[in-house]
Amino acid sequence: MKFKTKALAGAAALALMSAAPAMAEGVSACLITKTDTNPFFVKMKEGAEAKAAELGVTLKSYAGKIDGDHESQVAAIEACVADGAKGILLTASDTKAIVDAVKAARDAGVLVIALDTPLDPIDAADATFATDNFRAGLLIGEWAKATLGDKAAEAKIALLDLSIAQPSVDVLRDQGFLQGFGVDLADPNKWGDETDARIIGNEVTSGNEEGGLKAMEALLTKDPDINVVYTINEPSAAGAYEALKAVGREKDVLIVSVDGGCPGVANVKDGVIGATSQQYPLLMASLGIEAIAKYAADGTKPAPTEGKDFFDTGVALVTDKPVAGVESIDTAKGTELCWG
């Protein structure tokens, strides 16, 4: 069975859902995302809204103006506490700087669940519902290395990251990719300190298409012979592709990414992206609302997946060019499971 990771996460999710109260009238919750334009966060909001409506939870949603807008997220947390929210679902732009605001909310009796992006430290939140982002990066790194075969030893790698603040999701995906590709990590808690000569450089993208285009242009200026491109997400991958296309390199550069949104899966099918690691934002958000309802009912806080310090909502590699030893699903299956 190719879709083992998702199936296991689904079984754990069913166990958590079975414990959720039937209705939770009078309970209020907040969803705070990095932006309200990225399809990943749009789907996360849809999942939270649907589950809140089902359970009778009153939901308020907030988002930063751009990925990295820390100040708006702090203001949103403060507003949620003032409004008497029982729980907050948070995808933090700055996973270290947000900790003080999260502590203040928890001290006020609010359940804080990190979605997708673990806080730094991870136990600064009451719980984390997320993709195993290191594994997501590892899968695309292993796939890229196997796809190149012997040529991987002479690869020229561009790393298109998220933000200079290096939130945990940014670091985990980058470092997972590099380990999967066979690059020795220096400090696995940050990116950019590796000494492998195959790495041309790191540039940040803000997780959007324009940022991906500009980052790719900058790295091509450093070395026009780049042939492997890691991207933090699929919007930045789309931008990188446009930059490569502008110089006639779009057909001989391997692009890998993370997200698994419907546009990204379509780009895998069309050959824009070689492979992407698919994650499941609707599940993260719906489970988060259920956890808040359960906490409001009897004070129970969600438990992590066995052997991990977070609740793993699953990841699967999507590609139409499978390689031996790297578990994957094709774009037909990826399209069935995609979002956005």
Side-chain angles (χ1 to χ4, degrees):
M1 182 177 66
K2 291 183 176 180
F3 203 39
K4 186 185 300 179
T5 302
K6 176 63 173 147
L8 291 174
L14 285 172
L16 183 59
M17 285 189 284
S18 67
M23 291 297 285
E25 289 93 341
V27 175
S28 62
C30 290
L31 172 68
I32 305 172
T33 56
K34 297 176 185 179
T35 72
D36 57 7
T37 54
N38 186 313
F40 182 84
F41 300 121
V42 172
K43 182 55 64 174
M44 185 176 280
K45 184 178 178 181
E46 289 177 9
E49 288 176 338
K51 185 56 66 173
E54 177 186 329
L55 296 180
V57 172
T58 300
L59 179 68
K60 291 186 177 181
S61 297
Y62 302 83
K65 298 179 182 67
I66 60 170
D67 202 324
D69 182 6
H70 167 69
E71 290 76 14
S72 291
Q73 292 196 317
V74 171
I77 290 173
E78 292 171 348
C80 293
V81 174
D83 286 346
K86 197 64 178 176
I88 295 172
L89 305 179
L90 171 67
T91 61
S93 287
D94 191 323
T95 51
K96 294 180 181 178
I98 203 77
V99 166
D100 287 344
V102 169
K103 183 180 185 303
R106 293 178 68 189
D107 287 346
V110 179
L111 181 75
V112 180
I113 299 175
L115 299 184
D116 176 56
T117 303
L119 301 189
D120 186 1
I122 193 168
D123 62 2
D126 289 291
T128 301
F129 292 172
T131 304
D132 186 334
N133 281 295
F134 189 87
R135 177 166 171 75
L138 186 76
L139 286 169
I140 55 176
E142 290 176 340
W143 179 86
K145 181 181 180 181
T147 297
L148 288 177
D150 292 341
K151 293 181 180 178
E154 300 175 356
K156 294 191 173 186
I157 305 168
L159 298 165
L160 274 59
D161 296 299
L162 180 61
S163 163
I164 57 172
Q166 299 198 21
S168 55
V169 64
D170 197 12
V171 174
L172 289 166
R173 293 180 186 180
D174 175 293
Q175 298 291 279
F177 165 78
L178 290 176
Q179 182 166 302
F181 199 82
V183 172
D184 289 335
L185 306 181
D187 181 352
N189 297 307
K190 63 181 179 180
W191 53 252
D193 61 348
E194 298 80 21
T195 58
D196 194 307
R198 293 176 293 178
I199 298 175
I200 304 305
N202 301 70
E203 291 287 340
V204 297
T205 66
S206 295
N208 60 50
E209 187 168 342
E210 181 181 2
L213 186 148
K214 291 180 177 178
M216 191 72 249
E217 289 176 339
L219 288 169
L220 284 169
T221 300
K222 291 183 68 174
D223 192 326
D225 295 325
I226 287 167
N227 61 355
V228 177
V229 180
Y230 155 84
T231 60
I232 179 67
N233 63 9
E234 290 155 1
S236 62
Y241 178 82
E242 290 303 317
L244 290 164
K245 186 176 179 181
V247 295
R249 295 289 318 286
E250 75 276 13
K251 295 188 183 301
D252 61 350
V253 176
L254 198 61
I255 301 175
V256 293
S257 197
V258 177
D259 264 353
C262 296
V265 173
N267 276 341
V268 174
K269 184 177 181 179
D270 293 342
V272 172
I273 299 171
T276 192
S277 285
Q278 187 172 61
Q279 51 182 346
Y280 305 98
L282 190 149
L283 180 62
M284 294 178 200
S286 61
L287 291 176
I289 293 295
E290 289 184 343
I292 290 171
K294 178 67 173 171
Y295 176 71
D298 60 17
T300 301
K301 295 183 180 182
T305 299
E306 185 176 355
K308 299 185 177 184
D309 54 5
F310 64 97
F311 187 92
D312 188 353
T313 54
V315 63
L317 182 75
V318 181
T319 184
D320 285 333
K321 298 177 180 178
V323 296
V326 184
E327 190 175 310
S328 67
I329 61 175
D330 61 20
T331 56
K333 185 65 177 178
T335 300
E336 290 179 23
L337 298 166
C338 71
W339 40 268

